[in-house]
Amino acid sequence: MSVALDVTEHIKPPRTVFLPFMMGHHFGVPYHKELQRNIILEALAHLVEAKESGEVRFPPFTWAKARKEGIEIKRSLGIK
């Protein structure tokens, strides 16, 4: 799992999933279980489906959407 594409490209891991999220938020925002599950499923699928060493998968998740949904989840749970 990677949130720093330049570092990932330099290190060249055998396979990785890149997410354009803030550093330290590799699985999205707190309390967003659905997003976290989907990210894990993407990573596991990439383990099976990657065809070449160094292949990077770019799932369709965005930080803006994750953050917005996270705020709504926290509100629904009564958390500030």
Side-chain angles (χ1 to χ4, degrees), residues 22-77:
M22 292 178 55
M23 190 66 70
H25 293 273
H26 294 80
F27 293 94
V29 296
Y31 310 105
H32 200 324
K33 293 177 186 178
E34 180 183 351
L35 175 62
Q36 294 161 1
R37 181 179 188 278
N38 288 334
I39 291 169
I40 290 168
L41 291 174
E42 282 281 342
L44 292 172
H46 189 50
L47 283 173
V48 174
E49 298 167 2
K51 304 214 182 321
E52 298 179 19
S53 181
E55 192 171 312
V56 179
R57 179 177 281 201
F58 297 89
F61 310 122
T62 65
W63 177 250
K65 184 175 179 190
R67 185 70 185 120
K68 181 179 178 182
E69 291 171 351
I71 290 168
E72 291 300 318
I73 291 167
K74 284 175 73 174
R75 268 195 203 128
S76 73
L77 295 171

